[in-house]
Amino acid sequence: MLLYTGTCMEQFNEEEIKRNERSPLSCTSIVVGKQASQDGSVMTSHTCDSWYRTWMQMVPARDYERDTITAIYDGRMHTQSAQDSTKMYRKGVIPQVRHTFRYLDTAYPCMNEKQLAMGETTISGRDTLMNKKGMFMIEELERIALERCSTARQAIRLMGDLVRQYGYGDSGECLTIADKSEAWIFEIFGEGPKKIGGVWAAVRIPDDEIAVSANISRISTLDLADKDHYMASDNVYDVAKRLKLWDRKEEFCFWKAYSGGNYFGEKKNYSVREHFIMNSLAPSLCLSDTVENLPLSVKPDKPVSAETIMRLLASYYEGTDKNLSGRHMIPNPKRKDKDGNLKENEPDSIVSPFSNPWMRPDEINMYYAMGDSAMKNIRTVSVPWCAYSTVIQLRSWLPDEVGGVAWIALDNPGESPRFPIFCGVTELPKMLQVCGQHDQRDDAALWHYRKANRLATLRWGTYRKTLEPLRDYFMEKGARELKFVEDTWNDLNARQPEEAQRMLNGYTADFFGATITRWDELARELWRKSWAGW
């Protein structure tokens, strides 16, 4: 069991990460409206912070005969490849449509060929709401919506219809759903053990604002008369009344009824990550962390770039009092010269090079037991148990094939490089099609990043000086070359569509391959530097 005291995470291990999704060990998602972004793109994002599969594939568009059915599964989150069905089971079937769209099949399917994209974060909610007899888990709702829909509104309505008809069997979930015009936050819960169904609400994020979801229900009041900005299930009020989650004496509040508070038991619709990210993007608002209700969305002080979102997902609160790696102080070995005389401008103590933002609880407990009372962990945005993360840009002024791009990182987003997968990509490198969570295996992309990342963490104060410039190089390379890819594809597609397709697939493969090569080299370099031990 996970134990929490204030903001101190006392203990966890890999098995707990695998099975415990009702905790701040889970995902973070940031969503950006088109007028809030630097280039006019709509953005959504996701850190898949748990022991989920890292294999991914581009599922092609398909046509089907009439009266075809499609199966809905559970357990696919922990398979080792698209062909693996270990511990998967079929929960039911639904009618198939005549045509499905191509989509990027990640653990939580995230983007389709029409520039429809999703981020995800588990918000759990009240235990009394869950009903495992419902057919749909959240990842299967995402998959079906991406196969069939081209806009966020269509996706929300379809998922609502599917849950009403077949039932929702997952814990509380939030999806940050975006298309090339607008962005929404969609939250869903079950109806309790006596009813197979679901209850949900969705709020459109104003075009000039950003929003954050990080394992806590964020939606508050609903104005269902404003159909341009609000949607909800027909039973959104009735379920709350039937289950005595709303006494009708005060204005209905979605998060209060269906969630009740954050994962620390506080009656709030946010915690550290939401507050940190929103304050980072809108510091002029001076948002308080003592209020009950943090706004669902805010207008950033300046336009937000994809790089900004990447850096926020990589954050461990550096520069603030929440940064764990800045608290472990040791005597400064350079304080005195060889004769024992004090040097000017040298501090008495420095941060230990062994200190890092992602220390395990047993390390923290050791320092704490030795008298270092400052060594208490606060859940960071970036975490080492992240399976993969996405930052997705959707751009209405470009053809869908190059207008939508998912910037992917495997393993810890605070350490790993990102590579692009465009909407128009039809195949991925084989190394991306194998999961690395079950075993250490060189044919899985995950381990090529994880080796160097873990080595860098052991002496973060020293090795970050090598790793971070490499990470940033690929982020800057992607931004620098984006216009070139768009122009090249447009030119080729006008003359030789097949060559344009080959170029797009090849660019993703080459970019990805370059990150693998550099992280393999980095791992070898850090091993050489560590010849004398840690």
Side-chain angles (χ1 to χ4, degrees):
M1 180 176 179
L2 291 161
L3 304 176
Y4 295 93
T5 304
T7 56
C8 176
M9 185 163 60
E10 300 293 346
Q11 61 180 16
F12 72 85
N13 58 40
E14 287 85 348
E15 289 303 317
E16 287 164 335
I17 292 171
K18 290 180 188 178
R19 67 175 177 263
N20 195 307
E21 299 170 15
R22 298 175 54 75
S23 73
L25 297 181
S26 300
C27 314
T28 305
S29 182
I30 306 170
V31 64
V32 181
K34 60 185 177 182
Q35 293 175 11
S37 68
Q38 201 172 78
D39 65 351
S41 62
V42 183
M43 289 184 276
T44 186
S45 61
H46 174 214
T47 62
C48 185
D49 296 337
S50 195
W51 206 260
Y52 293 136
R53 65 172 169 94
T54 58
W55 68 263
M56 57 189 71
Q57 64 172 344
M58 293 300 298
V59 177
R62 294 190 175 103
D63 293 311
Y64 295 91
E65 298 292 332
R66 292 185 184 276
D67 301 321
T68 303
I69 59 173
T70 186
I72 305 302
Y73 292 98
D74 190 12
R76 195 162 174 262
M77 303 285 280
H78 300 288
T79 52
Q80 298 195 56
S81 69
Q83 294 73 41
D84 182 21
S85 59
T86 306
K87 295 184 179 180
M88 272 178 56
Y89 68 93
R90 192 169 78 167
K91 296 194 73 174
V93 297
I94 64 172
Q96 182 59 286
V97 294
R98 297 296 302 277
H99 178 78
T100 57
F101 298 129
R102 180 177 63 250
Y103 70 96
L104 177 53
D105 181 18
T106 44
Y108 293 93
C110 64
M111 180 179 72
N112 74 8
E113 63 177 288
K114 297 296 183 179
Q115 296 200 65
L116 173 64
M118 300 184 185
E120 177 275 346
T121 169
T122 301
I123 56 177
S124 298
R126 302 180 187 275
D127 292 336
T128 52
L129 292 170
M130 195 166 178
N131 188 330
K132 293 185 178 180
K133 294 180 181 178
M135 184 186 296
F136 276 94
M137 304 296 281
I138 196 66
E139 65 272 15
E140 287 290 81
L141 275 179
E142 291 179 86
R143 176 177 69 84
I144 296 298
L146 289 171
E147 284 185 339
R148 301 181 180 190
C149 301
S150 58
T151 70
R153 290 173 186 266
Q154 289 175 354
I156 291 167
R157 293 190 186 103
L158 174 63
M159 291 188 293
D161 289 343
L162 291 171
V163 164
R164 182 176 61 249
Q165 188 170 356
Y166 299 102
Y168 179 70
D170 212 341
S171 62
E173 289 281 349
C174 170
L175 299 179
T176 52
I177 309 175
D179 57 37
K180 50 195 173 185
S181 297
E182 57 188 32
W184 290 73
I185 278 189
F186 168 88
E187 295 182 352
I188 184 168
F189 301 91
E191 288 190 50
K194 296 182 179 179
K195 177 75 171 178
I196 298 176
V199 59
W200 58 270
V203 179
R204 180 182 172 185
I205 304 305
D207 290 343
D208 61 350
E209 296 191 2
I210 63 93
V212 186
S213 180
N215 310 135
I216 300 165
S217 177
R218 303 276 289 115
I219 295 175
S220 54
T221 56
L222 299 172
D223 181 6
L224 297 181
D226 180 1
K227 298 184 183 301
D228 191 45
H229 291 89
Y230 295 89
M231 288 190 274
S233 54
D234 294 339
N235 60 359
V236 68
Y237 301 126
D238 293 338
V239 171
K241 289 185 286 187
R242 173 167 54 84
L243 297 179
K244 296 182 172 53
L245 304 177
W246 175 41
D247 60 12
R248 304 182 68 181
K249 293 179 182 178
E250 60 178 18
E251 184 179 20
F252 178 79
C253 176
F254 188 82
W255 72 262
K256 286 183 180 179
Y258 294 111
S259 177
N262 65 22
Y263 41 72
F264 295 128
E266 299 169 322
K267 196 173 183 180
K268 293 179 177 180
N269 72 338
Y270 66 97
S271 189
V272 178
R273 281 172 285 160
E274 296 92 343
H275 184 262
F276 170 79
I277 292 169
M278 295 176 86
N279 257 332
S280 296
L281 295 176
S284 64
L285 297 180
C286 299
L287 296 170
S288 170
D289 63 355
T290 61
V291 297
E292 182 180 78
N293 196 80
L294 201 66
L296 177 64
S297 60
V298 295
K299 184 175 181 178
D301 286 2
K302 59 183 180 181
V304 177
S305 67
E307 179 182 334
T308 302
I309 303 304
M310 294 175 195
R311 292 190 181 278
L312 284 170
L313 294 186
S315 172
Y316 50 83
Y317 314 132
E318 188 170 22
T320 76
D321 60 3
K322 295 180 175 63
N323 176 19
L324 179 66
S325 65
R327 296 185 220 165
H328 184 197
M329 308 299 292
I330 61 172
N332 182 4
K334 298 180 180 179
R335 183 72 173 107
K336 296 180 180 180
D337 61 24
K338 63 181 180 179
D339 298 320
N341 300 313
L342 294 177
K343 294 182 181 179
E344 292 185 7
N345 302 320
E346 283 287 351
D348 291 334
S349 58
I350 60 170
V351 176
S352 169
F354 285 93
S355 188
N356 74 76
W358 308 292
M359 291 186 188
R360 292 181 59 89
D362 49 6
E363 293 179 87
I364 296 170
N365 290 339
M366 178 184 70
Y367 290 123
Y368 190 84
M370 294 169 65
D372 193 344
S373 60
M375 296 301 291
K376 291 185 178 180
N377 189 37
I378 297 173
R379 158 67 206 250
T380 49
V381 182
S382 66
V383 291
W385 58 84
C386 180
Y388 68 91
S389 62
T390 63
V391 175
I392 304 177
Q393 291 180 270
L394 309 163
R395 300 171 295 171
S396 61
W397 63 94
L398 291 167
D400 289 336
E401 288 85 349
V402 290
V405 55
W407 300 97
I408 308 287
L410 298 179
D411 198 57
N412 187 345
E415 298 178 297
S416 292
R418 292 190 179 274
F419 55 88
I421 299 178
F422 292 86
C423 279
V425 166
T426 57
E427 59 184 47
L428 298 178
K430 291 189 181 302
M431 200 178 284
L432 283 171
Q433 300 177 43
V434 179
C435 181
Q437 296 285 41
H438 300 265
D439 300 288
Q440 180 179 339
R441 46 191 302 176
D442 289 338
D443 63 341
L446 176 69
W447 277 97
H448 291 264
Y449 304 112
R450 182 169 281 175
K451 289 177 184 177
N453 291 350
R454 295 303 176 273
L455 286 169
T457 304
L458 291 170
R459 288 183 62 87
W460 182 245
T462 301
Y463 294 161
R464 64 177 293 185
K465 298 172 186 176
T466 303
L467 181 145
E468 287 183 331
L470 286 177
R471 180 201 66 190
D472 293 350
Y473 166 79
F474 283 104
M475 181 166 56
E476 293 157 6
K477 169 183 167 69
R480 184 171 59 248
E481 295 177 356
L482 195 55
K483 184 68 164 56
F484 163 79
V485 175
E486 297 158 6
D487 291 346
T488 302
W489 183 90
N490 275 316
D491 179 60
L492 286 172
N493 192 59
R495 298 180 289 106
Q496 299 172 290
E498 291 183 0
E499 186 60 29
Q501 182 65 73
R502 195 156 41 246
M503 183 280 296
L504 205 57
N505 288 347
Y507 182 79
T508 284
D510 289 347
F511 199 117
F512 163 74
T515 67
I516 291 290
T517 297
R518 287 301 290 119
W519 253 247
D520 284 346
E521 292 173 352
L522 178 60
R524 290 191 290 270
E525 179 180 350
L526 296 183
W527 272 118
R528 285 193 299 271
K529 288 182 176 180
S530 304
W531 67 271
W534 311 119

